[in-house]
């Protein structure tokens, strides 16, 4: 059974720092992996989608990597801003189009 | 472009009362539709998904039910709410595994 873990559960860093959020999964037979952002009390916004054949995806200041063999993905945020404060969730997609979710990392960027 | 609407945004209901949360999608046909529940500090739990009108798959046994009376309408219901039904409920539609979410409903059962 696939399990997805995100560590740390919460992270607070000063504005301007580069940071890395981690996501690990137990079964390397994934279809893809997605990173989402959730603002407090709101729905989720898809940030990046990495297909199983890909190593990384980039969007602006965000870069997501995928290493299936080690069961890991990272979300790199460059030059963090207070507006980046949110909860970041990763989800692993299987071949049945179902998503298995991590519990999220709550990120606070201090001005 | 596609949009998803979910309402209400917040809801306070007494124990034992019925529930109806509605979700509609615009700009796409025959979407896969999903209801998730999110507990504080935890990931999303898939409650129901639907691949077409009248087709509902339940992921976990519970006090809730779902219906899809129209192609782009997905309803989450309960006949009698329990305290444990409190949580944040999210509707979503998908294109493959790419999910698009509504703004969520904060349900508090008192």
């Amino acid at each position: 059974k696939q399990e997805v873990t995100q560590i740390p559960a919460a992270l607070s860093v000063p504005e301007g720092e580069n940071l890395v959020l981690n996501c690990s999964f137990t079964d390397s037979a994934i279809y893809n992996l997605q990173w989402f952002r959730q603002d407090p009390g709101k729905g989720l916004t898809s940030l990046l989608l990495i297909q199983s054949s890909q190593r990384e995806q980039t969007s602006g200041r965000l870069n997501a990597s995928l290493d299936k063999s080690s069961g890991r993905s990272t979300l790199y945020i460059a030059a963090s801003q207070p507006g980046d404060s949110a909860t970041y969730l990763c989800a692993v997609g299987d071949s049945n189009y179902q998503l298995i979710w991590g519990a999220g990392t709550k990120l606070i960027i201090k001005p | 472009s596609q949009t998803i609407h979910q309402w209400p945004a917040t809801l306070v209901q007494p124990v034992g009362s019925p529930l109806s949360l509605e979700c509609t999608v615009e700009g796409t046909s025959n979407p896969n539709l999903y209801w998730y529940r999110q507990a504080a500090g935890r990931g999303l739990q898939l409650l129901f998904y639907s691949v077409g009108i009248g087709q509902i798959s339940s992921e976990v046994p519970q006090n809730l039910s779902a219906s899809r009376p129209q192609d782009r309408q997905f309803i989450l219901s309960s006949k009698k709410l329990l305290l444990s039904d409190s949580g944040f409920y999210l509707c979503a539609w998908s294109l493959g595994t790419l999910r698009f979410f509504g703004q969520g409903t904060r349900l508090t059962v008192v």
Side-chain angles (χ1 to χ4, degrees):
Chain A
K1 178 185 175 184
Q2 180 73 272
E3 293 182 1
V4 180
T5 304
Q6 290 185 249
I7 294 174
L11 182 64
S12 180
V13 300
E15 179 180 4
E17 284 197 5
N18 303 325
L19 58 99
V20 174
L21 306 181
N22 297 295
C23 174
S24 62
F25 46 94
T26 55
D27 187 347
S28 61
I30 67 171
Y31 192 72
N32 57 30
L33 186 144
Q34 296 181 56
W35 282 93
F36 292 85
R37 169 187 172 136
Q38 183 177 29
D39 293 287
K42 301 293 185 181
L44 279 67
T45 301
S46 180
L47 298 174
L48 290 164
L49 167 68
I50 310 177
Q51 301 293 349
S52 63
S53 58
Q54 297 175 320
R55 284 284 195 168
E56 65 178 353
Q57 284 286 329
T58 298
S59 175
R61 294 182 293 109
L62 305 179
N63 175 277
S65 68
L66 175 63
D67 184 345
K68 283 199 310 178
S69 61
S70 65
R72 294 180 58 188
S73 175
T74 61
L75 179 66
Y76 175 83
I77 302 177
S80 58
Q81 303 171 358
D84 295 329
S85 297
T87 296
Y88 291 81
L89 296 109
C90 76
V92 168
D94 65 17
S95 57
N96 294 317
Y97 295 150
Q98 299 302 329
L99 294 180
I100 300 92
W101 294 83
T105 294
K106 183 176 182 179
L107 176 64
I108 297 174
I109 307 298
K110 298 175 289 185
Chain B
S1 64
Q2 301 90 354
T3 56
I4 180 168
H5 304 280
Q6 183 182 343
W7 69 92
T10 60
L11 189 60
V12 180
Q13 291 283 96
V15 169
S17 64
L19 173 73
S20 180
L21 303 182
E22 188 163 347
C23 173
T24 59
V25 181
E26 297 177 357
T28 186
S29 297
N30 197 30
N32 288 349
L33 297 172
Y34 305 82
W35 278 110
Y36 290 90
R37 177 165 57 198
Q38 185 179 33
R42 301 180 65 181
L44 275 66
Q45 178 187 36
L46 179 63
L47 302 176
F48 302 95
Y49 71 94
S50 170
V51 298
I53 295 175
Q55 301 179 62
I56 309 295
S57 296
S58 174
E59 290 296 301
V60 292
Q62 57 207 328
N63 185 43
L64 302 169
S65 62
S67 61
R68 186 170 178 174
Q70 300 181 40
D71 180 45
R72 287 171 285 182
Q73 183 184 28
F74 204 24
I75 298 172
L76 182 68
S77 304
S78 174
K79 292 182 179 179
K80 289 185 178 182
L81 283 168
L82 306 172
L83 287 174
S84 58
D85 291 324
S86 294
F88 191 59
Y89 291 84
L90 289 156
C91 177
W93 71 278
S94 74
L95 191 67
T97 46
L98 202 59
R99 297 278 193 278
F100 301 93
F101 286 83
Q103 288 300 294
T105 297
R106 170 70 60 190
L107 172 65
T108 304
V109 182
V110 297

